[in-house]
Amino acid sequence: MKPKPKRSDIVIIGGGLSGISSAIAASREGATVALVERLDEWGGSIGEFTQMPVDSPSTSNETFFRESGIFEEIISQLRVNNQEGTYAGQSRALTTLLKSEPKISTFLGYHCLSATLSTAKDRIETCTAINLQEGNEVLFRAKYFIDASNRGHLAKLAGAPGETGVDSIPDPQGHHKTIFRSAALVEIGKSTEPTHFCCPKWINAKWEKNSISARTAWMESLDRNLCGFHHLEWISEDSATPNASELCWAAWDYLKNRSPLRDLAKGLLVKRVIPLPAPNNTFRGSGDYTLTKKDLLSGRAHSDSVAVGRSPLCENNSLIYSSTGKLALPQAFEIPLRCLYSQKVRNLLWTGGHASCDAVTSLNLSHPPTAAQMGIATGFCATQCIAQKRLPRTLAKEGYIEKIRGQLAQINHRTSILPFADKANLAVRGTAQASTTWSARNIEELPTEDGIETTACLVQFPIITDKLETVRFLVSCRGPQSFDVRLMSGSNENQNIPGTCLEVDSVKVAKPGKQWIEFNFNTQLPSQSWYFMEIRSVQIFCLIEARNAPVGFNVQYPRKLSQVDGENQYSNYCPIPNYDPSPHNCPVMEIIPNQNIYQANEVITDSSRPYNTPGLWISRPTNFSYPEFIELSWTTPISVSRIDLFFDPSFGYNSYPHPQPTKCGPSISLIKDYKIYSTDQNGKSNCLIEVQENLSAHRSHLFEDQPIKSIELEIISTHGLDRAQVFRIALYE
């Protein structure tokens, strides 16, 4: 079979979220991309053959954690274009997204067979992939190759230095042990008649010898729904690990013959078994830096960080396909460019769990949102290597990396935990004013509902004054009761986690029903940031909650009430997961002194997402019979050819872990229709841009360079929210 040649700027092996994100990022920078996936569907680990959750509400200690940028765009496409909520619909939605990018050529069902290197063995010249069903073979040539496969397949074919396997774990006596794994995805259905199961003699594994965490996870999965897909995992110190089929039948033997569910299981059968990859065989490449578990725990900053990850901490004995045994990290973590390229093969970059890292960190980097962020960074950096004729190692150095990080920030890609200072943004030289501004009193005008009945909750809110005198809440009580509260600042590690207790107070109410309770502090505050109030009572109560809350206010409940998986040693509370693309709920509350948080000057900032305060402008409630506007002006004219707008994609909702039927459209807080006007040095106004049916949280507009004295963003409508919300406006020469 003679291979067909395919030449492009970049070849990406792997069609999961990281590969798709990488392809989109590279193509939008002008590169031609060949995206190659061995399966017949897009999605990789979140596709039907693996069914990893896209995300989990228990993975982050950042309350307003949405990544935005390209990843947010992909998630929005999945929600809008897969309303039937199936894996087939998900693959179709991803196909629609990829086909909207004209510079991306897609190759589904192609397995990468070989890679040829240069004479010096330091560059990949070609790789060959074959589609057995179609009988096609393709020879790919490119300037750069990105390995986004789930096991580092291309990196191994290219002979890139690295390692395979897991790290040994010291026990309390100091002896080291190695963990071995296997995994399977099993579909269970109903049988027409009761069936019995006799375990074949060739099945040597006994389910009871599996780890308790793996056994518990399966029972919890069965408890949620007997029929459907279930992840099975095997974790053991014994190297004689059962394969996927053996694992399935060992578990089935236990379920049918010895489990507490054996009577219910009589009417069940196994429909199919799908082998799943285990980290035992994951190749981890060697870059110029090895990212470690210590880096993740400390939140270490890197001068060449090009992506930010968030995932629960996975140990070698943690489950891969369940939240059981995973711990939330105190904060997000930075991913340096030095661990995203090969030390030896100069035109090879990688993304996901086979980056340059230790075995534990590899599990964290496999988390789909984190892998996607790495993909965006590698796709973008590969285009810059081509454009600047520089190696990735060079771009990671001082004098180059600052520009890379600035360019990534301009496409709404987060590169570091701290906001990146965008020195090219001309908006910071101007002043801002708005048509109207949201007032704290507007919370009381929002539609309300009763919150969860509880004996404890945690309220998060922003404070920008140096003193706090009084906080009032609207609550519903069953009878006379006492409330105790603690006022806390955010922790030093992460302002979204409660830290030092600043003051306490107690209040008694004498009657049942809905009423205001008031706590008095008269407290000097250390900084402008997030603060927390823990409210406790012996008797049950519920806060009255306001729907469609402004960014920055939320209420968290005990983790058991929130029904989230995973463990969190940093907080006993978390928000109730909200899967509807709308703003979250918050308590109906009043703060004295009044906090003027959402002023127009908030759009002149380096951050397009909440950091230690909300950081956005919000208008008063309106029906948009008259447009809301925000205006930036300068004392002397500036020359502008590009305007970037960063809207609010609703930071208070979660992505469904698996495809779900939905009728949801775009986030209701997104700006839908808007116009941009400029005023020149003679005072003449001109309509530069007019946009209808906007679906993106980030819009970039280019036009002919011209001197201006002011810019006005006129907001005509949103996708449903009765106010305008803008995080950031940036202007460039």
Side-chain angles (χ1 to χ4, degrees):
M1 183 188 303
K2 184 177 181 180
K4 299 177 181 179
K6 174 63 180 178
R7 185 180 294 274
S8 57
D9 294 322
I10 300 170
V11 170
I12 300 172
I13 304 299
L17 278 182
S18 62
I20 291 171
S21 301
S22 184
I24 293 173
S27 67
R28 290 182 181 176
E29 293 302 312
T32 56
V33 179
L35 179 61
V36 185
E37 167 57 40
R38 65 182 179 86
L39 299 176
D40 292 323
E41 65 166 17
W42 300 111
S45 66
I46 68 164
E48 185 172 12
F49 295 101
T50 303
Q51 297 192 20
M52 278 277 286
V54 173
D55 204 354
S56 169
S58 63
T59 60
S60 177
N61 269 309
E62 294 196 21
T63 314
F64 309 103
F65 60 81
R66 300 198 71 79
E67 286 84 358
S68 206
I70 289 175
F71 179 71
E72 172 68 26
E73 184 179 337
I74 294 172
I75 295 302
S76 297
Q77 288 291 324
L78 294 183
R79 187 178 66 247
V80 173
N81 293 325
N82 180 25
Q83 295 191 9
E84 65 265 45
T86 64
Y87 282 98
Q90 176 177 271
S91 181
R92 183 195 65 233
L94 292 172
T95 302
T96 300
L97 177 63
L98 289 169
K99 286 188 176 298
S100 69
E101 301 290 339
K103 291 184 176 294
I104 300 178
S105 300
T106 56
F107 297 84
L108 272 180
Y110 280 80
H111 186 76
C112 191
L113 294 177
S114 63
T116 60
L117 301 180
S118 62
T119 304
K121 305 296 183 183
D122 63 350
R123 296 184 69 88
I124 300 175
E125 292 190 339
T126 66
C127 72
T128 303
I130 188 171
N131 186 312
L132 293 176
Q133 290 183 345
E134 298 177 1
N136 293 331
E137 188 174 345
V138 180
L139 179 69
F140 294 96
R141 293 183 181 273
K143 299 172 183 175
Y144 274 83
F145 292 80
I146 298 175
D147 191 339
S149 63
N150 61 359
R151 293 187 182 181
H153 186 61
L154 177 62
K156 287 190 288 186
L157 290 175
E163 61 181 1
T164 301
V166 296
D167 298 332
S168 59
I169 305 172
D171 62 19
Q173 287 73 40
H175 302 109
H176 284 255
K177 59 182 181 180
T178 302
I179 298 297
F180 298 91
R181 301 170 175 271
S182 62
L185 182 66
V186 176
E187 184 180 11
I188 296 177
K190 291 184 178 180
S191 59
T192 56
E193 298 289 338
T195 60
H196 300 279
F197 180 73
C198 181
C199 189
K201 293 182 179 180
W202 54 269
I203 305 296
N204 296 318
K206 285 291 184 183
W207 181 249
E208 289 90 334
K209 292 185 179 181
N210 198 356
S211 72
I212 184 65
S213 59
R215 287 181 281 153
T216 301
W218 191 41
M219 288 297 104
E220 290 175 346
S221 181
L222 290 168
D223 184 58
R224 288 190 291 269
N225 192 358
L226 284 172
C227 294
F229 285 95
H230 302 272
H231 288 109
L232 294 177
E233 297 188 55
W234 183 275
I235 302 176
S236 173
E237 296 177 48
D238 188 349
S239 60
T241 306
N243 61 31
S245 179
E246 294 167 339
L247 173 59
C248 166
W249 299 124
W252 195 244
D253 175 40
Y254 169 76
L255 179 67
K256 297 282 278 189
N257 298 321
R258 300 185 298 280
S259 79
L261 301 177
R262 57 185 178 273
D263 290 335
L264 290 173
K266 289 180 180 179
L268 302 179
L269 52 80
V270 173
K271 298 177 70 174
R272 59 174 165 166
V273 182
I274 302 173
L276 295 178
N280 307 47
N281 300 319
T282 297
F283 175 83
R284 302 184 300 278
S286 295
D288 284 342
Y289 185 85
T290 300
L291 199 64
T292 66
K293 174 183 173 182
K294 185 177 180 180
D295 290 325
L296 272 57
L297 287 170
S298 65
R300 179 178 178 179
H302 301 274
S303 61
D304 63 325
S305 175
V306 288
V308 173
R310 57 168 181 82
S311 67
L313 180 64
C314 303
E315 298 287 5
N316 278 333
N317 56 352
S318 297
L319 298 181
I320 304 302
Y321 300 97
S322 167
S323 296
T324 303
K326 297 178 182 178
L327 295 172
L329 287 167
Q331 70 282 306
F333 52 89
E334 296 186 0
I335 303 171
L337 178 56
R338 285 169 296 158
C339 73
L340 299 182
Y341 57 79
S342 173
Q343 201 175 63
K344 177 184 177 182
V345 184
R346 298 194 295 175
N347 65 338
L348 172 63
L349 297 101
W350 40 51
T351 175
H354 54 276
S356 180
C357 60
D358 62 24
V360 169
T361 304
S362 174
L363 303 179
N364 290 75
L365 299 185
S366 298
H367 184 231
T370 299
Q373 298 306 311
M374 298 168 69
I376 295 166
T378 55
F380 182 89
C381 289
T383 64
Q384 298 308 304
C385 289
I386 295 170
Q388 300 182 38
K389 297 181 180 179
R390 304 287 182 182
L391 294 175
R393 177 179 286 117
T394 302
L395 295 188
K397 295 180 179 179
E398 184 179 355
Y400 295 92
I401 191 63
E402 297 84 0
K403 183 178 180 181
I404 296 294
R405 295 181 66 190
Q407 290 172 316
L408 284 167
Q410 289 175 16
I411 63 171
N412 208 10
H413 176 80
R414 189 180 179 192
T415 62
S416 58
I417 295 175
L418 295 175
F420 180 81
D422 187 357
K423 296 179 180 179
N425 180 14
L426 300 174
V428 297
R429 304 180 191 175
T431 57
Q433 61 179 358
S435 51
T436 63
T437 301
W438 177 274
S439 166
R441 291 282 186 182
N442 292 131
I443 288 181
E444 299 175 29
E445 300 173 10
L446 293 172
T448 62
E449 60 185 33
D450 290 349
I452 293 178
E453 289 193 330
T454 184
T455 58
C457 63
L458 184 73
V459 177
Q460 180 178 359
F461 53 94
I463 297 291
I464 61 171
T465 56
D466 59 4
K467 189 175 183 180
L468 179 63
E469 298 174 2
T470 301
V471 182
R472 303 173 71 231
F473 294 98
L474 188 59
V475 302
S476 179
C477 307
R478 291 185 177 181
Q481 64 186 106
S482 298
F483 292 91
D484 297 313
V485 299
R486 292 193 302 156
L487 174 66
M488 295 171 283
S489 62
S491 72
N492 293 330
E493 292 78 15
N494 184 351
Q495 293 291 315
N496 288 282
I497 301 174
T500 304
C501 180
L502 302 176
E503 200 166 340
V504 298
D505 193 19
S506 297
V507 168
K508 292 183 178 181
V509 298
K511 58 182 182 179
K514 188 183 296 185
Q515 57 196 292
W516 286 94
I517 57 173
E518 182 176 298
F519 301 100
N520 297 298
F521 299 108
N522 198 27
T523 304
Q524 290 296 129
L525 302 177
S527 63
Q528 296 183 1
S529 189
W530 307 117
Y531 288 84
F532 300 85
M533 283 183 62
E534 183 183 35
I535 307 174
R536 288 184 164 275
S537 180
V538 175
Q539 290 85 22
I540 289 174
F541 67 94
C542 75
L543 292 177
I544 306 302
E545 296 183 5
R547 297 198 299 270
N548 295 335
V551 178
F553 291 82
N554 74 65
V555 58
Q556 303 179 30
Y557 292 98
R559 294 181 66 82
K560 288 185 178 179
L561 286 178
S562 300
Q563 297 182 340
V564 296
D565 297 326
E567 300 176 37
N568 191 333
Q569 59 187 333
Y570 303 98
S571 179
N572 296 321
Y573 301 92
C574 70
I576 301 295
N578 171 29
Y579 298 104
D580 179 55
S582 62
H584 54 283
N585 285 8
C586 80
V588 177
M589 61 186 295
E590 181 182 358
I591 301 173
I592 302 174
N594 184 42
Q595 305 296 309
N596 296 316
I597 302 167
Y598 306 106
Q599 302 297 307
N601 60 5
E602 294 293 337
V603 303
I604 304 175
T605 178
D606 289 322
S607 182
S608 57
R609 48 184 61 79
Y611 175 56
N612 58 352
T613 57
L616 77 164
W617 164 70
I618 303 179
S619 75
R620 288 179 186 169
T622 176
N623 61 6
F624 291 101
S625 56
Y626 296 98
E628 295 288 337
F629 68 84
I630 187 163
E631 182 183 51
L632 274 62
S633 59
W634 296 263
T635 54
T636 57
I638 61 170
S639 182
V640 174
S641 62
R642 172 180 167 183
I643 297 177
D644 280 34
L645 305 174
F646 301 83
F647 302 128
D648 173 29
S650 284
F651 284 84
Y653 77 95
N654 303 87
S655 302
Y656 279 112
H658 303 281
Q660 296 288 331
T662 176
K663 294 183 179 179
C664 293
S667 170
I668 66 170
S669 62
L670 274 181
I671 305 301
K672 180 180 179 182
D673 302 324
Y674 63 90
K675 296 179 181 179
I676 300 175
Y677 293 90
S678 68
T679 303
D680 63 21
Q681 53 193 343
N682 298 318
K684 184 180 178 180
S685 179
N686 177 42
C687 182
L688 289 176
I689 305 291
E690 182 174 358
V691 174
Q692 295 180 339
E693 299 295 335
N694 171 56
L695 297 174
S696 176
H698 171 226
R699 293 297 298 262
S700 183
H701 297 291
L702 301 175
F703 46 87
E704 188 176 343
D705 194 334
Q706 55 184 281
I708 61 169
K709 284 283 301 258
S710 68
I711 285 284
E712 179 183 301
L713 170 62
E714 184 180 88
I715 297 166
I716 301 169
S717 67
T718 68
H719 281 279
L721 192 63
D722 64 347
R723 60 181 184 262
Q725 301 192 165
V726 179
F727 265 98
R728 183 171 179 244
I729 300 177
L731 297 95
Y732 304 96
E733 292 184 356

